[in-house]
Amino acid sequence: MWTTTLAQCTLQTMLKRSNSVLACHTLRAGGRPGWPVARSSSTSLRTNWMQLREHGTQATARLPFTPLWTSTAVKQVRSLEQERLLEVEWEDAGQSLYPYTWLRDNCQCPVCTLQSAQARSLQLSQLDIHTGVDQIQFTDNKVSIVWPDQHTSEFDPEWLKKRCFSSAARQALQEELFLNERVYWGSELQIPTASFEEVLRDDKAALAWLLALRRTGIVCLKGAPVEQGQVTRLSQRIGYLRLTFYGHTWQVQDKPQANNVAYTSGKLSLHTDYPALHYPPGVQFLHCLSQANEGGDSEVVDGFHMAERLRREDPEAFRTLTSLRVDFTDTGADYCDFMVQSKNHIIDVDSDGQVVRINYNNATRDSVLDLPLHQVQPFYCSLHAYVQLMMRPENIVTYKMEPGDLVTFDNWRLLHGRKSYLSHPDQVRHLEGAYLDWDEVMSRLRILRKSVHGESKNQQAP
């Protein structure tokens, strides 16, 4: 039985199924779903999570809404010919609407779907995007549709209900799929911990680790063997490592003629790794093999939290850093020789304005600044404001890794740094590092979630 702080935190709160009202009900009621707050009597959980909630950032970092698909019993189905919609009325008083074109496009029969790959076989060029229907009925617990060409499609009520087009249902399903909600934090954070060996051998421990990594952005795995190769072992629990110009793995040590500022004993300012790539690695592993006697403390800041603070405190600076693209560069030789160049926003936002990635490394920010003259000073003022915000003591978490610690963190969200240290021949500071992409990490998270919790008859969202 694994009983780490991370296990208690994640399994008792983040995976707890809520008794929320079905999201599809809002189609009729016109309301907005609530956002439940995870609670637990665990002292360690309160230490790690209650403080985060009390940090005053929940307006922008809510815990996930997880609807319970309580009933998929169909009361009746009917065709809305003028709107070209199928209406499903559920026994629990909710209702859902489905466009004809979408239903025909997603026919689940063996002709239209390759069952072995769960992939669509129907070609879009063959789809009548203005199709009507000949017949709709509900029989044998299936919604059956006969199309004008006499092709028949059957849909399971659970499958349909999970794909309800109401705003609340879509939001809930997207959260289930991508876990985009975050818990923001400052210097009060106690970094979640778990056992390295338990994560390797136990699916529940691995799932708890990845959920905490996604929500909080950082987890320290304790007790890894103090020898090289452990970041590779951990990556195999997920899938595979991200190869970069520095190799599949890389050794962070004080090196002569260093080809990276990390390979010195000097201070590293807060940064994300590899903004010189247009698609920087999403997750970073750092395994401590040997620590310096003096100095070498690590620092991390929640870049998403700081971006939201900047949005509130200096909206013009936020607009500047989300709209202007900045040049980054990295040149040298390691795994192979390289000369990379990119243009990135310091703060990336999605189409809804939500912060999705931070791209900032002062060491590789290029002297080339492809901006009109009148935008140069506003850019410097905006970046300076963001950096000064991050450097406030109440926003920085400082910790010192010990041999056997393997820190895993979100490289798109966290900025990390290091205090300078003294190098001694008899005590060489040595970390081994590696990268992964979020696509691989989220893939493993979904697989583990299915393995641990299964897919219940009622399609409960974990």
Side-chain angles (χ1 to χ4, degrees), residues 166-316:
S166 75
S167 176
R170 289 188 292 108
Q171 183 182 34
L173 183 55
Q174 289 302 299
E175 178 58 26
E176 176 187 340
L177 293 173
F178 296 104
L179 299 176
N180 288 322
E181 299 295 339
R182 305 294 200 271
V183 176
Y184 292 168
W185 44 264
S187 61
E188 81 289 344
L189 175 71
Q190 294 187 21
I191 296 173
T193 63
S195 163
F196 175 82
E197 295 296 342
E198 286 176 352
V199 163
L200 290 185
R201 68 172 182 263
D202 185 281
D203 281 356
K204 289 184 178 179
L207 176 59
W209 162 51
L210 293 182
L211 282 168
L213 176 62
R214 184 68 170 172
R215 297 294 190 202
T216 309
I218 182 169
V219 179
C220 180
L221 303 184
K222 309 289 285 187
V226 185
E227 58 187 28
Q228 289 183 219
Q230 304 314 304
V231 292
T232 299
R233 286 181 66 201
L234 185 60
S235 74
Q236 292 167 350
R237 188 65 166 105
I238 294 173
Y240 49 87
L241 289 171
R242 163 85 177 264
L243 176 63
T244 70
F245 290 111
Y246 292 95
H248 290 93
T249 65
W250 22 272
Q251 311 307 314
V252 183
Q253 297 171 290
D254 187 10
K255 303 176 182 179
Q257 300 299 311
N259 64 349
N260 190 292
V261 293
Y263 300 160
T264 70
S265 61
K267 175 180 174 60
L268 290 182
S269 61
L270 293 166
H271 66 282
T272 62
D273 274 17
Y274 247 141
L277 300 178
H278 285 108
Y279 191 80
V283 173
Q284 183 168 167
F285 294 167
L286 283 174
H287 178 211
C288 181
L289 299 171
S290 179
Q291 184 57 273
N293 285 328
E294 298 180 63
D297 298 54
S298 300
E299 298 176 322
V300 289
V301 167
D302 187 345
F304 284 9
H305 185 191
M306 295 302 97
E308 293 298 344
R309 289 274 299 273
L310 185 70
R311 193 202 302 255
R312 294 195 303 272
E313 296 180 13
D314 193 340
E316 186 58 37

